Amino acid sequence: MPVIFVTGATSGFGAATARRFATEGWKVIATGRRADRLDALKAEFPEGVIHTAQLDLTDRDSIVAAVAALPEDFKPVDCLFNNGGLALGTKAIPDVDLEDWDRMIDTNIKGLVHTTLELLPLLEAAGKGASIVNVGSVAWRWAYPGGNVYGGTKAFVHQFSQNLRTDLGGKDIRVTTLEPGMSKTEFTMVRTHGDAEANESFYDGVDPIRPDDIADIVWYLATLPPHLNISVLEVTPVQQVAGRPEIHRH
Ligand code: NDP
Ligand code: 8X3
């Protein structure tokens, strides 16, 4: 059975993708910080379908330890879903919190590159058809007030994915940056540090992307014919479009 390694499997895109692949007959390595959520996910499926590993993307040692402890029957790894991440803060520069900035960089950038490097030998062992799906965001391409470091981290994900694909040339490992727009997950609750009202008003009147939509897209990417690579895939709700550049008149 093929195996997928999912970061951020305790919520949103990652949880939906873990469930989708497990339902389709894949084995799933589900990771995240919240052990209770990982346990609950594992209990939804028959024994042997889901392996859980508690790890913190900001702590390289925990990533290394989780990969080193993978059971033999969860190797090699056919797909890496580099999804765990977050935005923190909605305010424009300079009204920002440096701790939020550091944590976004540590999670979205360092966590993603450390996970990628640890998983590469297992992906290579899977052979032709293996794939990496890195979660970027429209926030890298569409600047908006308050997007500052979050958008910057996703610009990194975009460019790192392109460079990774170049470096892996000839190894038959696919690399895709999946760049979603507005999606209703726990993302905005996290971004606003738990402001439920701001969370509700952000999605008011919009039919956003749902976690299951992303799971469908990851499934599509991972099961494409092995000779194909989709490099970048941007997806938004039909109601979300990029506007023209703002003009600040004096
Ligand atoms: P959620 O908040 O619902 O899920 C985020 C996941 O990331 C959780 O499972 C969380 O697990 C995990 N995570 C966060 N920090 C860490 C950490 N330090 N170590 C390990 N895991 C961590 O949000 P989404 O599902 O929306 O977010 C998933 C990805 O999608 C993110 O990279 C986000 O930037 C991106 N994205 C989201 C969009 C949206 O509008 N929702 C749009 C575009 C991109 P735990 O807390 O248990 O550790
Ligand atoms: C999240 C998408 O548009 O809220 O990455 O920045 S957006």
Side-chain angles (χ1 to χ4, degrees):
M1 274 192 275
V3 175
I4 182 170
F5 187 105
V6 180
T7 64
T10 57
S11 172
F13 299 164
T17 301
R19 286 194 179 95
R20 175 68 195 268
F21 277 69
T23 303
E24 297 282 357
W26 282 46
K27 291 188 173 206
V28 176
I29 301 159
T31 72
R33 290 167 303 181
R34 285 171 286 182
D36 55 334
R37 300 256 188 125
L38 293 174
D39 291 346
L41 180 65
K42 184 176 180 173
E44 289 177 29
F45 294 90
E47 188 62 32
V49 173
I50 298 202
H51 171 76
T52 59
Q54 194 181 11
L55 64 78
D56 183 339
L57 288 167
T58 68
D59 172 8
R60 179 164 180 265
D61 290 348
S62 78
I63 298 169
V64 172
V67 175
L70 285 178
E72 285 307 314
D73 58 334
F74 281 81
K75 296 179 198 171
V77 171
D78 300 86
C79 180
L80 166 59
F81 185 40
N82 258 330
N83 158 77
L86 77 179
L88 292 168
T90 56
K91 295 194 174 145
I93 296 169
D95 191 10
V96 297
D97 181 338
L98 198 52
E99 278 181 26
D100 284 351
W101 279 16
D102 284 346
R103 195 138 72 85
M104 287 188 278
I105 292 166
D106 287 346
T107 311
N108 301 357
I109 296 181
K110 291 164 87 174
L112 183 136
V113 300
H114 293 155
T115 306
T116 303
L117 210 55
E118 262 345 278
L119 265 295
L120 271 181
L122 295 175
L123 288 158
E124 221 176 317
K128 193 163 180 172
S131 56
I132 300 173
V133 179
N134 290 333
V135 179
S137 166
V138 295
W140 92 267
R141 195 194 299 276
W142 308 354
Y144 59 84
N148 45 67
V149 163
Y150 177 66
T153 65
K154 295 304 188 178
F156 176 91
V157 172
H158 178 91
Q159 191 58 29
F160 175 70
S161 303
Q162 302 298 309
N163 291 345
L164 177 64
R165 193 156 176 250
T166 306
D167 284 4
L168 295 181
K171 290 206 159 110
D172 288 331
I173 300 176
R174 285 115 42 116
V175 183
T176 302
T177 326
L178 174 56
E179 303 184 339
M182 182 193 261
S183 319
K184 194 160 188 189
T185 60
E186 293 177 14
F187 178 84
T188 303
M189 278 295 272
V190 171
R191 183 172 206 166
T192 60
H193 295 283
D195 184 339
E197 212 175 296
N199 182 53
E200 281 313 308
S201 64
F202 184 65
Y203 298 104
D204 196 30
V206 185
D207 192 358
I209 298 171
R210 295 144 201 198
D212 283 343
D213 298 326
I214 296 296
D216 285 347
I217 293 169
V218 181
W219 176 253
Y220 168 73
L221 291 169
T223 58
L224 276 171
H227 65 288
L228 295 178
N229 189 105
I230 294 180
S231 301
V232 181
L233 205 161
E234 182 181 284
V235 55
T236 63
V238 70
Q239 289 171 274
Q240 186 182 26
V241 289
R244 64 181 177 189
E246 282 186 56
I247 297 166
H248 300 277
R249 299 181 195 281
H250 295 294

